[in-house]
Amino acid sequence: MNEFLCRQKNNDDNKNTFSGIDFVNEYRNRVDSLQTLLSELEDFQSFLKEETITIIHKEYNSFIEFSSQLNNISSNNLDPSTTILPSCLNQLKSFEHVIFNMLEKIKNQLLIKKIANEKKMIGKKLLEIYQQLQNDVKIMIQQAFENVFNEKKDQKQIDDNNQKEGTMNNDEHASEMKDFKLFNLLDNNNELQGLLNLGEEDNQAMNGKEEEQDKKIYWFLYVADILKRTSNSLKEIEKNLLELSELSSQLINNNKLSGTIIDNKINNTKNINDKQHLITLFEMYERVEELLREVEKDFIKKVNEIFIYSIKNNLKFYLIDCLEAFSYLNKMELLENQLFLNIVTPTVNEIFKKENLFKCKNNFEEFTNLIYNKLIEELYIKLLPLLNIILTENLQNNNLQNTIIKYNFITNGVLQPIINNLTNDNCKFLYEYRNVKQFHLMFKEQKKFLENLQIKFVPKHETLKFQEYIQLNLMKKWQLKIYFLLVKQNIVKEFENVLLQQKQEYSLENNIQGTLAGKWGIVKDRFNDLLMNQIFNVKYVYLNELNYEFILLYIQLVGRFQKWIIEDYLPFMVNSTKQLNNNENMITELCLLISKLQQLIDILNVYFEENKNDIPFKDELIEIVKTRLLFDNQLKSSQLLSLIEENIINALSERCIETLISKVSNAYSLTTQSKLNNNQASYFISEVFKPLIQFKNFNEKELNSICLKKIICQVIFNTCEQFKLKCIKIVETTRKTQQSLERLKKKKGSNSNSTINGIQDQIVKDTNTLEEILLENFKIIIVDNNMLLDKNINSGVVACMKPLEELKLGIQQFKDEEE
């Protein structure tokens, strides 16, 4: 660089101009490359900038003084020595400009070289791709195509030769000759060396013939790989061409700004040549791209033909090759469409021809045989080679598994033409509503057909899409909501008619038992029939698709049945027996009603258990009817059961209390008490709970144990409460009477206290006797620790006998007051 400075100073003395071209030509041989020269000049430019700034800072004061004296100094008197600094700055700026121009020219030269290299590389790559497609890939596709169609012919010839010569050598020779041309294409292609055994693992998993598969190659997959890589290369080349076009435009603009007139003329010529080169490259790119599209089109056409041919001739190896190839190219829908057009659609259309549909139009049972069963049978036979591949689970080769799950052959290729035929006008009679049984039959048969189709044809990965396609494109043809509304209308109408009929009949009958049995039998039988033979008749009415709606209808029907019992049947029973003054008969009928309700629930439980596979929520359905008619899981009585229990309790309490009302006043009077033997209980005590004991003995086995306990305990409580109130009233009345008599005689009778005490003692004795009778007859029932013990009573006294305990305490208080 010092040499450069010295030479530059001498040059400045000799001439005032500087030539960048001469400078570069002089110094290019002193460095290893123009890039190095550019780097040194850039360093020198940076050095000059730093020195310039240093000089300015160092001479700043002189510069200020010089500028302040300019007004006092004339131009003629200027000392040349005072102009040194401005002259130096101008030279530095001039030199910097020279260096900058030099750098720009070097950059342009480098850009020209880069563009030339890119053009050469792109042109070479396009030529290689064109030659590969034209000379190698086309021949490879054609040869592989011919080999597939010669497969059976060659195999037959090999078998004949093996029978004659008794050796397998011809098999190996034929296999080698068949792929001879293809292997010649591979000899000079290193990229294929890793693909020579590409199909080995998959074919071993599918066929188990290892020795045979070693000689086979997935040619279509290899071609697909070439086409995909070629397509990616062309995309990259297109991107490079666009960038190259931008660089050329940038270079042209740089030359226009920095060049002289002569340079511009030269640059214009170069620019024209560059544009022509780019046009040529773009034209070549378009030709290669067109050839690639042509080869891809031919490849897709031949693979489609091989795919269909392999299915028809059961060539598993080539089927897998086609699947792998189109999966690699991400063109799965093409094979699905080929299956749809060439195999499935002709078969389906033949089965759905008008002659077959006409036979089924008025005979729906034939539709299953002529259409549904035949579809599954014929499609299964024709698609069996493909099904053996896509339905094979747990394949040893993960690559084949990953390939299979990309396809939706059954949904897109098989199900679609079937649904197209099922939904066209020729089959509209399937969805016409004529009656419940027919609609249900056709719907269930179609559902069964689709389920069988899914079992035999649909691979696991395709199941969800298969079902969604059915729901979206076929289920909407079935007017299920209208069907349910018609079913509901018929059921509600039938049940209401039965209830209305029963309300009109038997209203004037005198045989109450016959009337009740008749009303209950007819309504109950119709209720069971509607539930089991209509709502939940799996064979003719019920549909899982309307599960929610049918359950709601079931709840409504149970509620209507409950309402009829509460508002019609139960009042009729109670009023009829009351008119005959026959409480015992009413109690019997009410208990019988509870047993009938339990029997009804048991019948429904058996039915739901027998059909649990078809009717979901069995336990919930039973719980609904139990909660409405009897009690829930917490043993809380329903509204209906509470009313029945209330009527039984009232009737039994009335009979027990009736004895007390008629006997207790006379038993505890002053005249009667004087005649009694205080060692014995009153004569009526043993008769008080006789109706309840009879009720318990008669209904203990028949009546629900929970109801029985509740009824008995409540009747005991009611009776004991009445006995307590009556006795307290008698004692109080007797005391007042005795006090009035004493005041009249104005003296105390010696026998008065003994008489009152005798009545009180007799009441206590009778109370104890009642407790003994109750514990003797109802101990197991009334001493139920889980339900009936009153936890607030001391010493564990039974809750229903609490009034008797209170009575004894009250008597004791009276005695204490007298003392």
Side-chain angles (χ1 to χ4, degrees):
M1 190 58 65
N2 292 330
E3 180 183 357
F4 164 71
L5 292 174
C6 294
R7 288 180 174 271
Q8 185 62 30
K9 184 177 180 180
N10 295 330
N11 290 336
D12 290 340
D13 296 336
N14 297 328
K15 57 182 179 180
N16 295 326
T17 61
F18 173 79
S19 173
I21 296 175
D22 294 338
F23 177 82
V24 171
N25 289 333
E26 181 178 357
Y27 286 96
R28 68 182 300 176
N29 294 327
R30 299 177 182 272
V31 293
D32 54 357
S33 65
L34 291 175
Q35 189 67 35
T36 303
L37 180 60
L38 175 62
S39 177
E40 291 182 356
L41 289 174
E42 288 176 344
D43 293 340
F44 184 63
Q45 182 186 25
S46 176
F47 171 76
L48 289 177
K49 288 182 179 180
E50 292 177 358
E51 289 297 320
T52 303
I53 293 171
T54 302
I55 292 172
I56 291 173
H57 288 170
K58 184 176 180 181
E59 301 295 336
Y60 183 74
N61 292 330
S62 299
F63 180 76
I64 295 300
E65 293 176 0
F66 172 75
S67 62
S68 63
Q69 296 174 3
L70 286 179
N71 294 328
N72 300 324
I73 300 176
S74 62
S75 59
N76 295 326
N77 298 326
L78 287 177
D79 187 358
S81 62
T82 61
T83 62
I84 294 176
L85 182 60
S87 175
C88 181
L89 291 174
N90 291 333
Q91 291 178 7
L92 289 174
K93 289 181 180 180
S94 175
F95 184 72
E96 181 181 10
H97 180 70
V98 170
I99 296 299
F100 176 79
N101 290 336
M102 188 182 304
L103 291 175
E104 289 298 320
K105 290 182 179 180
I106 293 174
K107 287 180 180 179
N108 288 341
Q109 291 296 323
L110 292 175
L111 186 60
I112 291 171
K113 187 175 181 181
K114 179 180 179 181
I115 292 173
N117 291 334
E118 287 290 333
K119 289 179 180 178
K120 182 178 180 181
M121 181 192 69
I122 292 173
K124 182 179 180 181
K125 188 64 177 178
L126 288 172
L127 182 60
E128 290 176 355
I129 292 174
Y130 186 87
Q131 291 176 345
Q132 184 184 31
L133 293 175
Q134 186 70 32
N135 300 328
D136 295 342
V137 178
K138 275 190 172 183
I139 298 174
M140 191 180 299
I141 294 172
Q142 184 62 34
Q143 186 61 39
F145 179 75
E146 293 175 356
N147 283 346
V148 176
F149 285 97
N150 293 330
E151 175 80 16
K152 286 189 172 294
K153 182 178 179 181
D154 292 344
Q155 187 62 43
K156 184 177 180 181
Q157 182 178 0
I158 292 170
D159 294 339
D160 294 340
N161 293 334
N162 289 339
Q163 290 178 359
K164 293 179 180 179
E165 301 179 8
T167 179
M168 297 298 293
N169 292 333
N170 288 334
D171 187 5
E172 298 176 1
H173 177 71
S175 179
E176 292 175 359
M177 292 300 296
K178 182 176 65 175
D179 292 337
F180 177 74
K181 292 183 179 180
L182 291 174
F183 276 104
N184 285 339
L185 293 174
L186 298 178
D187 288 340
N188 296 323
N189 195 336
N190 294 327
E191 295 179 356
L192 247 184
Q193 299 305 315
L195 296 174
L196 289 175
N197 295 317
L198 184 63
E200 178 180 353
E201 186 177 358
D202 289 338
N203 285 279
Q204 289 175 6
M206 296 302 298
N207 298 324
K209 300 180 180 179
E210 298 181 1
E211 294 181 359
E212 181 180 355
Q213 301 307 327
D214 286 340
K215 304 180 182 65
K216 291 189 176 182
I217 299 175
Y218 283 159
W219 291 109
F220 292 128
L221 176 58
Y222 172 65
V223 173
D225 179 66
I226 293 176
L227 293 177
K228 186 173 183 178
R229 286 189 285 107
T230 301
S231 177
N232 293 336
S233 298
L234 283 180
K235 291 179 182 178
E236 189 66 25
I237 289 174
E238 181 183 18
K239 180 181 178 181
N240 293 338
L241 283 173
L242 294 175
E243 293 177 354
L244 193 61
S245 177
E246 293 179 358
L247 290 176
S248 298
S249 299
Q250 179 183 347
L251 180 62
I252 292 172
N253 293 331
N254 292 341
N255 290 335
K256 287 182 179 179
L257 294 174
S258 60
T260 60
I261 296 177
I262 297 176
D263 291 338
N264 288 337
K265 290 182 179 179
I266 297 173
N267 290 333
N268 287 336
T269 303
K270 290 182 179 180
N271 293 338
I272 294 173
N273 293 333
D274 289 340
K275 289 182 179 179
Q276 188 63 40
H277 291 164
L278 285 175
I279 292 172
T280 303
L281 287 176
F282 273 107
E283 290 177 351
M284 187 175 182
Y285 168 79
E286 291 175 355
R287 289 184 60 188
V288 175
E289 187 180 32
E290 183 179 357
L291 178 61
L292 176 62
R293 287 196 298 267
E294 179 185 341
V295 173
E296 283 183 344
K297 184 178 179 181
D298 182 58
F299 173 73
I300 291 172
K301 178 182 177 181
K302 285 183 167 53
V303 173
N304 285 334
E305 294 179 14
I306 296 302
F307 175 71
I308 300 301
Y309 180 81
S310 300
I311 293 177
K312 292 180 178 179
N313 293 276
N314 194 19
L315 302 177
K316 291 183 180 180
F317 177 84
Y318 296 107
L319 265 178
I320 296 175
D321 193 8
C322 295
L323 295 176
E324 294 275 12
F326 273 33
S327 171
Y328 193 76
L329 292 176
N330 199 27
K331 295 182 180 295
M332 291 77 70
E333 68 281 354
L334 296 180
L335 290 185
E336 295 168 356
N337 191 50
Q338 286 298 312
L339 185 71
F340 170 84
L341 294 175
N342 294 287
I343 296 181
V344 179
T345 298
T347 304
V348 173
N349 290 342
E350 178 64 22
I351 295 174
F352 275 93
K353 60 185 179 181
K354 291 185 177 180
E355 293 81 1
N356 290 338
L357 295 177
F358 182 77
K359 294 178 183 179
C360 304
K361 192 168 185 179
N362 296 316
N363 186 2
F364 294 102
E365 288 76 6
E366 286 296 319
F367 198 92
T368 300
N369 298 325
L370 293 178
I371 305 297
Y372 291 148
N373 294 343
K374 198 170 183 181
L375 275 173
I376 292 180
E377 180 182 350
E378 293 195 11
L379 288 175
Y380 187 78
I381 293 174
K382 293 185 177 181
L383 300 180
L384 184 59
L386 179 62
L387 294 176
N388 287 336
I389 296 175
I390 65 174
L391 292 178
T392 302
E393 297 182 359
N394 300 321
L395 292 175
Q396 296 179 3
N397 189 291
N398 292 329
N399 292 330
L400 182 57
Q401 280 186 330
N402 295 333
T403 297
I404 290 173
I405 63 177
K406 295 180 181 179
Y407 288 92
N408 292 297
F409 281 114
I410 306 305
T411 302
N412 298 334
V414 178
L415 182 62
Q416 184 177 345
I418 293 176
I419 290 183
N420 289 343
N421 279 276
L422 285 174
T423 54
N424 65 19
D425 292 338
N426 293 331
C427 290
K428 65 180 180 180
F429 64 90
L430 288 175
Y431 315 100
E432 295 175 351
Y433 182 86
R434 300 182 184 180
N435 56 64
V436 172
K437 182 178 178 181
Q438 174 187 303
F439 185 92
H440 184 273
L441 173 64
M442 295 309 299
F443 181 83
K444 294 287 283 188
E445 287 297 324
Q446 188 178 100
K447 182 180 178 181
K448 182 180 178 182
F449 159 71
L450 295 172
E451 289 174 351
N452 292 334
L453 188 69
Q454 178 178 333
I455 293 172
K456 286 195 171 185
F457 289 81
V458 181
K460 187 175 181 180
H461 73 274
E462 203 176 335
T463 301
L464 183 59
K465 186 173 182 179
F466 179 85
Q467 294 172 348
E468 290 177 349
Y469 192 88
I470 290 175
Q471 291 294 328
L472 184 63
N473 297 281
L474 186 59
M475 285 292 102
K476 62 183 180 181
K477 292 290 291 184
W478 296 95
Q479 301 295 327
L480 296 181
K481 297 296 182 182
I482 297 177
Y483 165 76
F484 173 75
L485 290 176
L486 294 172
V487 170
K488 179 180 178 180
Q489 179 181 347
N490 292 337
I491 291 174
V492 172
K493 184 178 179 181
E494 289 183 22
F495 195 61
E496 290 296 334
N497 289 338
V498 170
L499 298 183
L500 180 62
Q501 181 182 359
Q502 295 310 306
K503 193 170 183 179
Q504 295 172 352
E505 293 180 359
Y506 307 115
S507 58
L508 301 178
E509 291 284 343
N510 293 323
N511 186 357
I512 299 302
Q513 292 181 344
T515 301
L516 292 174
K519 288 173 72 70
W520 173 261
I522 292 175
V523 175
K524 183 264 296 182
D525 291 343
R526 195 60 185 143
F527 175 75
N528 282 343
D529 178 68
L530 291 175
L531 285 183
M532 296 185 289
N533 296 327
Q534 292 198 39
I535 294 181
F536 293 112
N537 186 334
V538 179
K539 189 175 182 180
Y540 296 114
V541 180
Y542 178 77
L543 295 173
N544 284 329
E545 288 73 14
L546 296 171
N547 178 57
Y548 178 75
E549 288 80 0
F550 275 102
I551 290 177
L552 286 180
L553 179 57
Y554 165 78
I555 294 173
Q556 293 173 7
L557 191 63
V558 172
R560 185 66 184 92
F561 181 64
Q562 178 200 35
K563 182 179 179 182
W564 170 77
I565 297 175
I566 294 174
E567 297 181 357
D568 185 5
Y569 184 74
L570 191 58
F572 177 79
M573 176 192 297
V574 174
N575 294 333
S576 299
T577 52
K578 281 185 177 180
Q579 289 176 6
L580 299 176
N581 294 322
N582 192 345
N583 281 352
E584 184 176 355
N585 189 28
M586 181 180 71
I587 293 170
T588 302
E589 291 296 335
L590 290 171
C591 293
L592 184 60
L593 177 58
I594 296 176
S595 299
K596 289 177 179 178
L597 292 174
Q598 184 62 52
Q599 292 173 3
L600 175 62
I601 294 172
D602 294 338
I603 292 172
L604 293 176
N605 191 24
V606 171
Y607 178 79
F608 289 141
E609 183 65 29
E610 292 174 351
N611 297 275
K612 61 183 179 181
N613 294 331
D614 299 309
I615 302 176
F617 313 113
K618 174 187 74 70
D619 296 334
E620 288 79 0
L621 294 175
I622 292 298
E623 185 61 30
I624 288 171
V625 72
K626 282 183 64 177
T627 303
R628 288 295 186 95
L629 301 183
L630 290 178
F631 38 76
D632 57 18
N633 287 332
Q634 283 73 37
L635 302 179
K636 181 180 179 181
S637 298
S638 66
Q639 180 186 5
L640 172 59
L641 184 59
S642 297
L643 288 174
I644 297 173
E645 291 172 343
E646 182 181 350
N647 282 282
I648 295 175
I649 290 169
N650 292 338
L652 282 173
S653 298
E654 183 178 344
R655 292 184 62 192
C656 293
I657 294 171
E658 183 180 356
T659 303
L660 291 173
I661 298 298
S662 61
K663 304 289 179 64
V664 71
S665 296
N666 183 45
Y668 299 140
S669 64
L670 291 173
T671 56
T672 305
Q673 185 61 33
S674 62
K675 302 177 182 180
L676 287 177
N677 183 1
N678 291 332
N679 294 324
Q680 296 179 354
S682 299
Y683 65 94
F684 70 91
I685 291 299
S686 60
E687 303 293 329
V688 174
F689 288 108
K690 203 173 259 189
L692 186 59
I693 294 171
Q694 293 174 353
F695 170 80
K696 177 245 183 182
N697 293 335
F698 184 77
N699 295 286
E700 189 171 13
K701 294 182 179 179
E702 300 296 332
L703 193 61
N704 183 279
S705 61
I706 299 173
C707 298
L708 184 65
K709 291 177 182 180
K710 183 176 180 181
I711 292 169
I712 289 176
C713 291
Q714 191 61 47
V715 172
I716 291 173
F717 180 83
N718 293 345
T719 305
C720 292
E721 183 68 18
Q722 287 296 320
F723 179 71
K724 180 190 76 171
L725 296 176
K726 193 69 175 175
C727 290
I728 295 295
K729 184 177 181 181
I730 289 172
V731 171
E732 291 178 346
T733 302
T734 303
R735 290 181 63 190
K736 291 179 181 179
T737 302
Q738 186 64 34
Q739 290 173 0
S740 298
L741 291 173
E742 290 176 354
R743 284 194 298 270
L744 289 174
K745 296 180 179 180
K746 296 182 180 181
K747 63 178 181 178
K748 294 183 179 179
S750 59
N751 295 328
S752 299
N753 288 333
S754 61
T755 303
I756 297 174
N757 291 334
I759 293 174
Q760 294 175 349
D761 292 339
Q762 187 64 38
I763 291 174
V764 172
K765 187 179 298 183
D766 291 344
T767 302
N768 292 331
T769 303
L770 283 176
E771 290 180 343
E772 292 174 0
I773 292 173
L774 291 174
L775 292 174
E776 181 181 354
N777 291 278
F778 306 109
K779 183 176 181 179
I780 297 177
I781 294 177
I782 62 179
V783 187
D784 188 333
N785 293 325
N786 294 327
M787 292 181 56
L788 305 173
L789 278 180
D790 189 341
K791 305 299 182 181
N792 296 322
I793 300 176
N794 295 328
S795 303
V797 178
V798 179
C800 61
M801 295 167 59
K802 182 179 178 181
L804 298 180
E805 190 69 21
E806 293 174 346
L807 176 58
K808 290 190 287 185
L809 293 174
I811 296 296
Q812 185 62 40
Q813 288 178 359
F814 285 137
K815 289 183 178 182
D816 294 340
E817 290 175 1
E818 290 176 356
E819 294 177 357

